[in-house]
Structures are given as C-alpha cells and as structure tokens.
Amino acid sequence: MGKRIVVISDLQMPYENRKALKAVIRFIGQYRPDEVIQIGDLVDYPQPSRWSKGTAAEFEGSVLKDSKYAQQHFLEPLREVYSGPVSVHEGNHDLRPRTYLAKHAPALADSNAFDLPVLLDFPRYNVRLLPDFHQIAPDWLTTHGHVGGITLSQIAGNTALNGAKRAGKSLVMGHTHRQGIGRHTTGYGGKVTRTVTGVEVGHLMDIRHAGYLNSATPNWQTGFAVLHIERSTVTPELVPITSRRFIVDGDTFKV
C-alpha cells in the first residue's frame, strides 16, 4: 500500500481564499491522506515587516492577531476532520516577524517568541516544523522555495525544475503561486542516467488581497497537489481549482 501526501501552499492568512481552503479541508477529511504538508507561507504577517517600515502599520502590528486567526481558521478546522501527521515548512512570509525582530530589536530576538511554532502553538495541534529541505522519498525533497539559490521562472513548473537540477534531486515547492510540473533527463549513449522532476503546487490565496499587484492579474494558479509514493517512486498529481470546483479520483468537490 502506497503513501499519499496532500501538499498545500501559500495561504498567506488572513488573505487566504476562504471558500477554497474550506473545501480543501473538507476534502482532506474525506480523503484521509497519510500526511498533510503545508509547504510554506501559511501566514502573511504584513505588519510589522520591511514592507510596513515607517508607516502606521509598523506600530500597530498584527502578529498575534494573525497568528490566532491562522489557528482558528486553519489548524483547528483541519484537526476537526483529520488526525494524521501535519507538517509545515516555514516560508518567507512566515519569517517576517522573526526577521523584523532580529533587525530592529536584536536584544529580544533570542527569546524565540516570534518563532512560527510558538506563534501558532504547534504542540497544541500536533504539528511538526520541517527543515528547509525535507526528504519525502529517495531523491525527492520538499521545500518552500525561497532558499537554496533557486532561479525563478515565469513558466509554471520551471522554477521547481531549476531547483531540482541544482539539488540533483526531484523537488516539490510552493512560493511561486504557480502550478506546474517540469522534468529534465540526462544520460549518454541512449541510456538515461537520471531524470529529475520539479513540482510547483499552486496557491490558496485570494489574489484580490494582494495589494502589491496594483490590481494586475498575476500568472498564478489556484490549487494544491497530491503525492503518491510507492517506495522510491513518486507520482505527483496536480489538483487545479477552477470554476469553483476540483476533482480527485473522479470525485468532484465544490468550492
């Protein structure tokens, strides 16, 4: 019997696509995967951050409020329907409070008060914090995508493929908000020596709240992924959310 991992990315709470997230959580409760990986940028943490420096938001702050929101609208509903392993990668947005504290109040940075597992109370919800690169199968890694010197591409799947080539292992990532799969094969004399795969799982953010887009429509795709693992073989399945629905194993889930 193989293993199934549901991978979701870039909720950037409280700016998540609320209807899509609720539908994905319902799906997880019905699908009962072997693990759920939230692959980074679970919370947006817009203030304080370098983007709010010098504005009123820097002094207002919302770190504790946003953390509580994420607990109430993601971790609690997820745990109501799913008791299996839940793991989280720390994304660049998740890092904002800790980065701000280290830069502007270094004397307080060692307190760990702004560490993601503390802010979101991971022990209470039995959530595991993953390292920057986490092995899910031989020659397969998950990561958020903001570290490791990965070259960004506007073509869905190509950023993850760039990371896979660099790491020499297949790579599943978020960060780009795009959804795609790329593969690269090397060898000699007609013999294949290695094929690496790059997977970008999409996002679950409400793009209307991305103020930095200035009302533009980005090259982003809403959705998530399911990884089917049988020993050393990993088959990634992208699940796009379009027209307020998505389909897994022939079952349609409405958003």
Side-chain angles (χ1 to χ4, degrees):
M1 182 67 178
K3 183 177 182 180
R4 303 175 304 174
I5 302 177
V6 171
V7 184
I8 59 178
S9 183
D10 294 272
L11 307 179
Q12 294 186 206
M13 302 182 86
Y15 304 137
E16 81 280 9
N17 184 325
R18 297 179 182 180
K19 291 182 178 180
L21 178 58
K22 288 180 179 179
V24 171
I25 289 175
R26 288 198 305 270
F27 156 74
I28 290 171
Q30 178 177 324
Y31 191 66
R32 296 187 178 181
D34 296 283
E35 184 178 359
V36 173
I37 294 179
Q38 199 289 320
I39 207 166
D41 283 0
L42 170 53
V43 191
D44 187 76
Y45 289 128
Q47 53 187 32
S49 69
R50 67 188 180 96
W51 304 106
S52 63
K53 183 66 178 170
T55 71
E58 180 182 10
F59 301 95
E60 293 170 358
S62 61
V63 172
L64 299 182
K65 178 182 177 181
D66 293 341
S67 298
K68 190 64 176 178
Y69 180 93
Q71 292 178 45
Q72 293 176 337
H73 295 275
F74 176 63
L75 293 178
E76 288 180 11
L78 178 61
R79 278 311 188 197
E80 287 176 0
V81 301
Y82 179 72
S83 60
V86 175
S87 304
V88 174
H89 278 285
E90 193 173 47
N92 51 302
H93 285 252
D94 301 313
L95 280 167
R96 281 177 170 177
R98 187 147 55 91
T99 300
Y100 178 90
L101 196 66
K103 184 173 182 180
H104 300 288
L108 302 176
D110 291 338
S111 68
N112 299 320
F114 277 9
D115 288 3
L116 191 65
V118 175
L119 290 172
L120 299 186
D121 200 355
F122 279 6
R124 176 184 177 189
Y125 300 102
N126 193 23
V127 173
R128 175 177 60 151
L129 179 68
L130 296 177
D132 287 338
F133 292 90
H134 171 65
Q135 182 171 302
I136 55 169
D139 293 324
W140 278 81
L141 304 171
T142 59
T143 189
H144 178 61
H146 65 301
V147 297
I150 301 173
T151 302
L152 293 173
S153 170
Q154 288 293 314
I155 300 174
N158 276 13
T159 298
L161 184 58
N162 289 338
K165 291 178 184 178
R166 187 179 183 93
K169 295 179 182 290
S170 293
L171 191 69
V172 181
M173 63 172 280
H175 189 49
T176 64
H177 294 216
R178 287 184 270 280
Q179 191 176 52
I181 297 176
R183 292 187 172 90
H184 182 75
T185 299
T186 55
Y188 61 91
K191 179 182 178 181
V192 173
T193 56
R194 170 170 288 184
T195 297
V196 293
T197 302
V199 182
E200 293 167 51
V201 303
H203 75 101
L204 291 176
M205 184 185 180
D206 186 339
I207 62 175
R208 294 173 298 179
H209 292 303
Y212 50 85
L213 295 174
N214 295 319
S215 298
T217 299
N219 176 26
W220 295 354
Q221 293 83 46
T222 303
F224 60 100
V226 179
L227 306 178
H228 303 270
I229 303 175
E230 182 68 44
R231 296 184 180 179
S232 62
T233 300
V234 179
T235 302
E237 175 187 1
L238 297 182
V239 184
I241 299 176
T242 58
S243 302
R244 299 184 64 179
R245 66 190 62 213
F246 58 90
I247 301 172
V248 182
D249 291 348
D251 293 328
T252 299
F253 297 83
K254 294 184 178 180
V255 172

